[in-house]
Amino acid sequence: MGRAAAVWYGSLSPLPYEILAMNGAESLVRTLLASGIDTCFANPGTSEMHFVAALDKVEGMRCILGLAETVVTGCADGYARMAAKPAATLLHCGPGLANGLANVHNARRANAPMVNIVGDHATYHRPFDAPLTADTEGLARAVSHWVRTSTSSTQVGADGAAAVQAAMTSPGQIATLILPADTAWNEGGAVGAPLPVPARPTVAPDTLGTIARTLRSGEPAMLILAGQALSEPGLIAAHRVAHVSGAKLRTPSQVSRMARGRGCAPVDRIPYVVDNALKVLAGTRHVILVGAKPPTAFFAYPGKPSLTAPSDAVMHVLARPEQDAITALEWLADELGAPKNAPIPDGGAQPQLVRGKFEPEAFASTLAALLPENCIVTEDAVTSGRALFAPTFGAAPHDWLQITGGAIGHGFPCATGAALACPGRKVVCLEADGAGMYTLQALWTQAREKLDVINVIFANRIYKILHGELLAVGAQPGRVSNELFDLARPALDWTKLAAGMGVEATRVETLEGFADAFRAAASRRGPFLIEFQIQ
Ligand SMILES: Cc1ncc(C[n+]2csc(CCOP(=O)(O)OP(=O)(O)O)c2C)c(N)n1
């Protein structure tokens, strides 16, 4: 292959080096690297072979194999939430993308940026309707903010740069680039220069003024905080607003990422159970959304409302998810005359280790006492996670990531991606056993990459939540429902499942056993799994 002058596509000036003549795949790898993407979670097939070969040829991209596509996409979500930039995923044709959709959906709900590269049949092969031919664009559109199919190797670099730009656009978007095999293997590739990312839009002064007046009225108000507002500066500013105005603070039932622990301003979430959510919001006259959506029940239940705020409450938008919520909150706090150092409420009593059987509150206190300083918690613990949020405010400082889109099977891959994004931090993955079975292959990736993750499995051997949901929708339990919600026949053995994927594991049955196992896992490096038999 002869040498050629660097070929650039885009408006920014080229990097000061010469690039060999290249195919489309190589131009894409170089484009991603030039745009700051250096991690690729992958599960490739034949149509992606040239992209894989390009990854071999070009240095700088960390490639991580996931043994199921929903592991790949869940890893990219966890990575993006912690790195605040996208990873690339590499997926195989429509079916590979389809396997990964559930966790792309969760990422989308978290406003996590993601660049999916989906290989597909060569353009001229598509009309023959070979077995893997699918409506790849259609599948991509269902979960992506931006979708493009490259049409020529000469365009692939520019398409890649546009995909990164779309993904990085506030508040973080899903960009899916479909790469027909011939656009990857044909020569003529040109590296796409990084495209400028639009700045976060600011909140209009009129909006700020209106909300300041509303808060001055003294009528009962609640700020619902999400996204950027749940970062440390966002929470401090929100607390100043609450301190001076008397407004209440809450998060939605699920948070994509929240700074928490001792010294951090604690804000509890709106409960999942509709009746409890209605109680929390009762009496609120003004609901002020800060990067959040109007509070909505997770599901409809006969006779219960969809919206959980009082029907006569006025809905205000202080900041849309893509807007600069931190500056808006700080402005509001200053405008209302809040002291800069308004006291931050503490996170409650010092957490204590508790002994005995698993009980949600007792476990929460024990976990709070054990969480390592500066750890990252990923939570997909379903019913076992319901009591964890507030009692862990008094733990050591940490970040808390939750499943945001309700598609269970998020915790393991999210933890895996977060650990890759933050190699110096311990990750604690709280996973329900039913949810864990969707993506347990992520344990293998943790072992392979020697990631510092403590996985805690709540082994109740049942789809517990569904027993409650059955009654909540007004249906009656019976033989079939009991059978469909049962995971005990045969019993899942998580210590063996983990061992089979190279992750050391132990089983505990008491809180003191859990504390011992957790401390031991926290004192060493590498992945570990604790199966907490709770039933
Ligand atoms: C992708 C996906 N499939 C199915 C469901 C429906 N679903 C919700 S919770 C649940 C079972 C949860 O059981 P488990 O994870 O063991 O938690 P537990 O209820 O026992 O706390 C299922 C199947 C879902 N939310 N997402």
Side-chain angles (χ1 to χ4, degrees), residues 102 106 272 298-299 380-385 403 405-409 431-438 458 460-467 469 485 487 534:
N106 284 325
Y272 170 89
F298 210 90
F299 291 105
D380 185 16
V382 195
T383 56
S384 302
I403 169 176
I408 58 173
E431 186 74 74
D433 55 356
M437 283 304 289
Y438 288 69
F458 299 97
N460 59 6
R461 298 180 177 158
I462 192 170
Y463 283 166
K464 184 173 177 189
I465 190 174
L466 297 187
H467 281 284
E469 295 292 300
F485 305 163
L487 306 185
I534 64 173

Coordinates of all heavy atoms in Angstrom, one line a residue, residues 102 106 272 298-299 380-385 403 405-409 431-438 458 460-467 469 485 487 534, ligand 1:
A102 N -31.9 -3.4 24.6 CA -32.5 -3.1 26.0 C -31.6 -2.2 26.7 O -32.0 -1.2 27.3 CB -32.7 -4.4 26.7
N106 N -31.8 1.7 28.1 CA -31.5 2.2 29.4 C -30.5 3.4 29.3 O -30.7 4.4 30.0 CB -30.9 1.1 30.3 CG -31.9 0.1 30.8 OD1 -33.0 0.5 31.1 ND2 -31.5 -1.1 30.9
Y272 N -41.0 4.4 44.1 CA -41.5 3.7 42.9 C -43.0 3.4 43.1 O -43.8 3.5 42.1 CB -40.7 2.4 42.8 CG -41.3 1.4 41.8 CD1 -40.9 1.4 40.5 CD2 -42.2 0.4 42.2 CE1 -41.4 0.5 39.6 CE2 -42.7 -0.5 41.3 CZ -42.3 -0.5 40.0 OH -42.8 -1.4 39.1
F298 N -44.5 4.5 37.2 CA -43.7 3.6 36.3 C -44.7 2.9 35.4 O -44.4 2.6 34.2 CB -43.0 2.6 37.2 CG -41.7 2.1 36.7 CD1 -40.5 2.8 36.9 CD2 -41.7 1.0 35.9 CE1 -39.3 2.3 36.4 CE2 -40.5 0.5 35.3 CZ -39.3 1.2 35.6
F299 N -45.8 2.4 35.9 CA -46.8 1.8 35.1 C -48.2 2.4 35.4 O -48.3 3.1 36.5 CB -46.9 0.3 35.5 CG -45.7 -0.5 35.0 CD1 -44.8 -0.9 35.9 CD2 -45.5 -0.8 33.7 CE1 -43.7 -1.7 35.5 CE2 -44.4 -1.6 33.3 CZ -43.5 -2.0 34.2
D380 N -29.2 -2.4 40.3 CA -30.3 -3.0 39.5 C -30.8 -4.1 40.4 O -31.0 -5.3 40.0 CB -29.6 -3.7 38.2 CG -30.5 -4.3 37.2 OD1 -31.7 -4.0 37.3 OD2 -30.1 -5.0 36.4
A381 N -31.2 -3.7 41.6 CA -31.5 -4.7 42.7 C -33.0 -4.9 42.9 O -33.4 -5.6 43.8 CB -30.8 -4.2 44.0
V382 N -33.8 -4.2 42.1 CA -35.2 -4.4 42.1 C -35.8 -4.3 43.5 O -35.5 -3.3 44.2 CB -35.6 -5.7 41.3 CG1 -37.1 -5.7 41.0 CG2 -34.9 -5.8 40.0
T383 N -36.5 -5.3 44.0 CA -37.1 -5.1 45.3 C -36.1 -5.0 46.4 O -36.3 -4.3 47.4 CB -38.1 -6.3 45.7 OG1 -37.4 -7.5 45.6 CG2 -39.3 -6.3 44.8
S384 N -34.9 -5.6 46.3 CA -33.9 -5.5 47.3 C -33.3 -4.1 47.3 O -32.5 -3.8 48.3 CB -32.8 -6.6 47.1 OG -33.4 -7.8 47.1
G385 N -33.5 -3.3 46.3 CA -32.9 -2.0 46.2 C -33.8 -0.9 46.7 O -33.3 0.2 46.9
I403 N -30.4 1.8 37.1 CA -31.1 1.4 35.9 C -32.2 2.5 35.7 O -33.0 2.7 36.5 CB -31.7 0.0 36.0 CG1 -32.6 -0.3 34.8 CG2 -32.4 -0.3 37.3 CD1 -33.1 -1.8 34.9
G405 N -34.1 2.9 32.6 CA -35.1 2.6 31.6 C -36.0 1.4 31.9 O -36.8 1.0 31.1
G406 N -35.8 0.8 33.1 CA -36.6 -0.3 33.5 C -36.3 -1.6 32.8 O -37.0 -2.6 33.1
A407 N -35.4 -1.7 31.9 CA -35.0 -2.9 31.2 C -34.0 -3.6 32.1 O -32.8 -3.3 32.0 CB -34.5 -2.6 29.8
I408 N -34.4 -4.6 32.9 CA -33.5 -5.2 33.8 C -32.4 -6.0 33.1 O -32.5 -6.4 32.0 CB -34.3 -6.1 34.8 CG1 -35.1 -7.2 34.1 CG2 -35.2 -5.3 35.7 CD1 -35.7 -8.2 35.1
G409 N -31.3 -6.2 33.9 CA -30.1 -6.8 33.3 C -29.1 -5.7 33.0 O -28.3 -5.8 32.1
E431 N -27.2 -6.3 42.4 CA -27.9 -6.9 41.3 C -28.9 -8.0 41.9 O -28.6 -8.9 42.6 CB -26.9 -7.6 40.4 CG -27.5 -8.2 39.2 CD -27.8 -7.2 38.1 OE1 -26.9 -6.6 37.5 OE2 -29.0 -7.0 37.9
A432 N -30.2 -7.8 41.5 CA -31.2 -8.9 41.8 C -30.9 -10.1 41.0 O -30.3 -10.0 39.9 CB -32.6 -8.4 41.5
D433 N -31.2 -11.3 41.5 CA -30.8 -12.5 40.8 C -31.5 -12.7 39.4 O -30.9 -13.1 38.4 CB -31.0 -13.8 41.7 CG -32.4 -14.0 42.3 OD1 -33.2 -13.1 42.1 OD2 -32.5 -15.0 42.9
G434 N -32.8 -12.4 39.4 CA -33.6 -12.5 38.1 C -33.0 -11.5 37.1 O -32.7 -11.9 35.9
A435 N -32.7 -10.3 37.5 CA -32.2 -9.3 36.6 C -30.7 -9.7 36.2 O -30.4 -9.6 35.0 CB -32.1 -7.9 37.3
G436 N -30.0 -10.3 37.1 CA -28.6 -10.6 36.8 C -28.5 -11.7 35.7 O -27.5 -11.7 34.9
M437 N -29.5 -12.6 35.6 CA -29.4 -13.6 34.6 C -29.5 -13.1 33.2 O -29.1 -13.9 32.3 CB -30.6 -14.7 34.9 CG -30.3 -15.6 36.0 SD -28.8 -16.5 35.9 CE -29.1 -17.6 34.6
Y438 N -29.9 -11.9 33.0 CA -30.0 -11.4 31.6 C -28.6 -11.1 31.0 O -28.4 -11.2 29.8 CB -30.8 -10.1 31.6 CG -32.3 -10.2 31.8 CD1 -32.8 -10.6 33.0 CD2 -33.2 -10.0 30.7 CE1 -34.2 -10.7 33.2 CE2 -34.6 -10.1 30.9 CZ -35.1 -10.5 32.1 OH -36.4 -10.6 32.3
F458 N -28.6 -10.5 45.1 CA -29.7 -10.7 46.0 C -30.4 -12.0 45.6 O -31.3 -11.9 44.7 CB -30.6 -9.5 46.1 CG -29.8 -8.3 46.6 CD1 -29.3 -7.4 45.6 CD2 -29.6 -8.1 47.9 CE1 -28.6 -6.3 46.0 CE2 -28.9 -7.0 48.3 CZ -28.4 -6.1 47.4
N460 N -33.0 -14.2 46.0 CA -34.3 -14.6 46.6 C -34.9 -15.7 45.8 O -36.0 -16.2 46.2 CB -35.2 -13.4 46.8 CG -35.5 -12.7 45.5 OD1 -35.2 -13.1 44.5 ND2 -36.2 -11.5 45.6
R461 N -34.3 -16.0 44.7 CA -34.8 -17.1 43.8 C -36.3 -17.0 43.4 O -37.0 -17.9 43.4 CB -34.6 -18.4 44.5 CG -33.1 -18.6 44.7 CD -32.7 -19.9 45.4 NE -31.3 -19.9 45.5 CZ -30.6 -20.7 46.3 NH1 -31.2 -21.4 47.2 NH2 -29.3 -20.7 46.3
I462 N -36.6 -15.7 43.1 CA -38.0 -15.5 42.7 C -38.0 -14.1 42.0 O -37.1 -13.3 42.2 CB -38.9 -15.4 44.0 CG1 -40.3 -15.4 43.8 CG2 -38.5 -14.2 44.9 CD1 -41.2 -15.6 45.0
Y463 N -39.0 -14.0 41.1 CA -39.3 -12.6 40.6 C -40.2 -12.0 41.6 O -41.4 -11.9 41.3 CB -40.0 -12.8 39.2 CG -39.1 -13.1 38.0 CD1 -39.7 -13.5 36.8 CD2 -37.7 -13.0 38.0 CE1 -38.9 -13.8 35.7 CE2 -36.9 -13.3 36.9 CZ -37.6 -13.7 35.7 OH -36.8 -14.0 34.6
K464 N -39.6 -11.5 42.7 CA -40.5 -11.1 43.8 C -41.4 -9.9 43.4 O -42.6 -9.9 43.7 CB -39.6 -10.7 45.0 CG -40.3 -10.3 46.2 CD -39.4 -10.1 47.3 CE -40.2 -9.6 48.5 NZ -39.3 -9.2 49.6
I465 N -40.8 -9.0 42.7 CA -41.6 -7.8 42.3 C -42.9 -8.1 41.6 O -43.9 -7.5 41.8 CB -40.8 -6.8 41.5 CG1 -41.5 -5.4 41.4 CG2 -40.4 -7.3 40.1 CD1 -40.7 -4.3 40.8
L466 N -42.8 -9.2 40.8 CA -44.0 -9.5 40.0 C -45.2 -10.0 40.8 O -46.3 -9.8 40.4 CB -43.6 -10.5 38.8 CG -42.6 -9.9 37.8 CD1 -42.4 -10.9 36.7 CD2 -43.0 -8.5 37.3
H467 N -44.9 -10.6 41.9 CA -46.0 -11.0 42.8 C -46.8 -9.8 43.2 O -48.0 -9.8 43.2 CB -45.5 -11.8 44.0 CG -45.2 -13.2 43.7 ND1 -46.1 -14.2 43.6 CD2 -44.0 -13.8 43.5 CE1 -45.5 -15.3 43.3 NE2 -44.2 -15.1 43.3
E469 N -46.8 -6.8 41.7 CA -47.4 -6.1 40.5 C -48.7 -6.8 40.1 O -49.6 -6.2 39.6 CB -46.4 -6.2 39.3 CG -45.1 -5.4 39.6 CD -45.4 -3.9 39.7 OE1 -45.8 -3.3 38.7 OE2 -45.1 -3.3 40.7
F485 N -43.1 -16.9 38.1 CA -42.3 -16.0 38.9 C -41.2 -16.7 39.8 O -40.6 -16.1 40.6 CB -43.1 -15.2 39.8 CG -44.2 -14.4 39.1 CD1 -45.3 -13.9 39.9 CD2 -44.2 -14.2 37.8 CE1 -46.3 -13.2 39.2 CE2 -45.2 -13.5 37.1 CZ -46.3 -13.0 37.8
L487 N -37.8 -18.9 40.6 CA -36.5 -19.2 40.1 C -35.8 -20.3 40.9 O -34.6 -20.5 40.7 CB -35.6 -17.9 40.1 CG -36.1 -16.6 39.5 CD1 -35.0 -15.6 39.5 CD2 -36.5 -16.9 38.0
I534 N -31.1 -14.6 50.4 CA -32.0 -13.8 51.2 C -33.3 -14.5 51.4 O -34.2 -13.9 51.9 CB -32.1 -12.4 50.7 CG1 -32.8 -12.3 49.4 CG2 -30.8 -11.7 50.7 CD1 -33.1 -10.9 48.9
Ligands
LIG1 C1 -35.8 -6.5 29.8 C2 -36.9 -6.8 30.8 N1 -37.6 -7.9 30.8 C3 -38.6 -8.2 31.6 C4 -38.9 -7.3 32.6 C5 -40.1 -7.5 33.5 N2 -39.6 -7.7 34.9 C6 -39.6 -6.7 35.7 S1 -39.0 -7.1 37.2 C7 -38.8 -8.7 36.7 C8 -38.3 -9.7 37.7 C9 -37.4 -9.2 38.7 O1 -36.9 -10.2 39.5 P1 -35.5 -10.1 40.2 O2 -34.6 -9.4 39.3 O3 -35.2 -11.4 40.8 O4 -35.8 -9.1 41.4 P2 -36.9 -9.2 42.6 O5 -38.2 -8.8 42.1 O6 -36.8 -10.6 43.1 O7 -36.4 -8.2 43.6 C10 -39.2 -8.9 35.4 C11 -39.1 -10.1 34.7 C12 -38.2 -6.0 32.6 N3 -38.5 -5.1 33.4 N4 -37.2 -5.8 31.7

